[in-house]
Amino acid sequence: MGDLQYWDETLASEVASTRSLIATFSSKRDELQKAALLDNVERQIRAVNGTVRSYKMECRLLNDPNERKTYENKLKRHERDLKELSIQVQDYRQEISRGELFVNANRGGNPEEDGDVMLAEASKLQDKTQDSLNRTKNLVGEAKSVGLETMEELKRQRDQISRIDEEAQKMEGNLARADKLIKTFGRRMATDRFIQCFACVNVFLLVGVIVYIVIMKQKHPDANPLQPMAPTNPVRRLLRGLVGLNPDDSNGENEPY
């Protein structure tokens, strides 16, 4: 905002200064002074065009569309004023050329020679105008070439951006598939862990049974550790205790069940 205000005030001041400088043209009596004044004005107009380019760049950087539109309208008015000043300078140039032509024509001498001189001066003036038109055509042709090159470059960049967008979409699809594969792999790993844990529990149980059999073999070599022991009759044990017998002395051969 502040930069645009600065460029707007600077451009308005430069246009006003150029207009004031052109206004002094009528006060100049000598043709050389007039030509020098116009040369100075043209240099100043070129400087003002540089300010216009800076103004345009700042307008493009402005984010607010309403403010950008306001400053663009101001810029158009400044450009219109600058164009009018340039046309005025060209008119003064032609006035100087016509004055030189008529001054040469009003000199004393042979009218036929004076006519030849006028035609020669007019031919020179026409040649200068033609040269100016040729330069303008060349500039227009160069601008057209630059525009075509810029358009081709923009087209190439647009195609490149399209390819980048397609690659980004492909990468997004690949990432989605990779995410699904990772989730599937995680579920499979969880299932495999469950199976591994179940297998480990079975191994531990088998090892426990083997250890139990070994310990029972050491304590009771004649007994079968896998055969369930017969339950002891509590009444029989009580009677043996009353008669003074050791309940553990019975081998259980005739023990009732």
Side-chain angles (χ1 to χ4, degrees):
M1 179 69 180
D3 293 338
L4 275 173
Q5 185 66 28
Y6 165 76
W7 287 115
D8 183 66
E9 294 176 355
T10 301
L11 185 56
S13 176
E14 291 179 353
V15 171
S17 176
T18 305
R19 184 180 288 107
S20 300
L21 189 61
I22 293 177
T24 62
F25 179 83
S26 301
S27 62
K28 304 296 182 180
R29 299 299 179 184
D30 186 46
E31 300 296 334
L32 294 177
Q33 292 179 356
K34 291 181 179 181
L37 176 63
L38 294 179
D39 292 338
N40 190 15
V41 171
E42 288 178 346
R43 285 194 296 270
Q44 190 163 343
I45 288 175
R46 287 193 293 270
V48 176
N49 286 327
T51 305
V52 169
R53 288 191 292 271
S54 300
Y55 197 151
K56 287 181 179 179
M57 291 179 63
E58 290 295 333
C59 285
R60 295 191 187 99
L61 297 176
L62 192 61
N63 294 325
D64 191 350
N66 294 326
E67 292 184 1
R68 184 168 62 246
K69 187 66 175 178
T70 300
Y71 281 103
E72 285 177 351
N73 292 332
K74 291 182 180 180
L75 178 60
K76 289 179 181 179
R77 289 195 296 270
H78 293 315
E79 289 179 333
R80 185 171 56 252
D81 295 339
L82 188 61
K83 185 177 181 180
E84 291 176 356
L85 294 176
S86 299
I87 293 173
Q88 192 173 359
V89 169
Q90 293 177 2
D91 293 339
Y92 284 148
R93 287 284 188 190
Q94 293 178 1
E95 182 179 344
I96 292 174
S97 298
R98 288 193 299 269
E100 291 177 354
L101 183 61
F102 284 111
V103 166
N104 293 329
N106 291 329
R107 292 175 184 174
N110 190 350
E112 185 177 353
E113 293 179 358
D114 293 339
D116 294 338
V117 172
M118 288 181 63
L119 290 175
E121 293 294 337
S123 179
K124 290 180 181 178
L125 181 60
Q126 186 177 4
D127 292 338
K128 291 180 180 178
T129 304
Q130 186 64 37
D131 292 338
S132 178
L133 290 174
N134 291 333
R135 287 194 297 271
T136 304
K137 288 174 64 178
N138 292 333
L139 292 174
V140 171
E142 292 176 359
K144 186 177 180 181
S145 299
V146 172
L148 292 175
E149 292 176 359
T150 304
M151 188 160 44
E152 292 177 357
E153 180 67 20
L154 290 174
K155 183 179 179 181
R156 185 185 65 80
Q157 291 180 1
R158 184 181 63 184
D159 295 338
Q160 186 176 4
I161 291 173
S162 299
R163 289 194 296 271
I164 292 173
D165 184 64
E166 291 177 358
E167 291 295 330
Q169 291 179 357
K170 290 180 181 178
M171 290 178 63
E172 185 177 0
N174 292 334
L175 290 175
R177 287 194 293 273
D179 185 60
K180 292 180 180 178
L181 290 175
I182 290 173
K183 291 180 180 179
T184 304
F185 183 69
R187 288 194 294 268
R188 290 181 179 178
M189 287 186 64
T191 305
D192 293 341
R193 289 195 192 98
F194 177 77
I195 294 172
Q196 291 173 1
C197 292
F198 185 73
C200 291
V201 170
N202 291 334
V203 171
F204 290 150
L205 290 175
L206 181 60
V207 171
V209 170
I210 294 173
V211 171
Y212 172 76
I213 292 173
V214 172
I215 292 173
M216 293 302 294
K217 279 288 186 180
Q218 291 178 354
K219 288 183 177 181
H220 306 282
D222 297 333
N224 185 4
L226 298 180
Q227 182 179 0
M229 297 179 64
T232 303
N233 191 337
V235 178
R236 178 73 176 273
R237 291 179 62 87
L238 179 60
L239 293 175
R240 285 178 175 277
L242 292 175
V243 298
L245 296 176
N246 188 355
D248 296 332
D249 290 341
S250 176
N251 54 9
E253 292 178 355
N254 299 319
E255 183 178 346
Y257 291 92

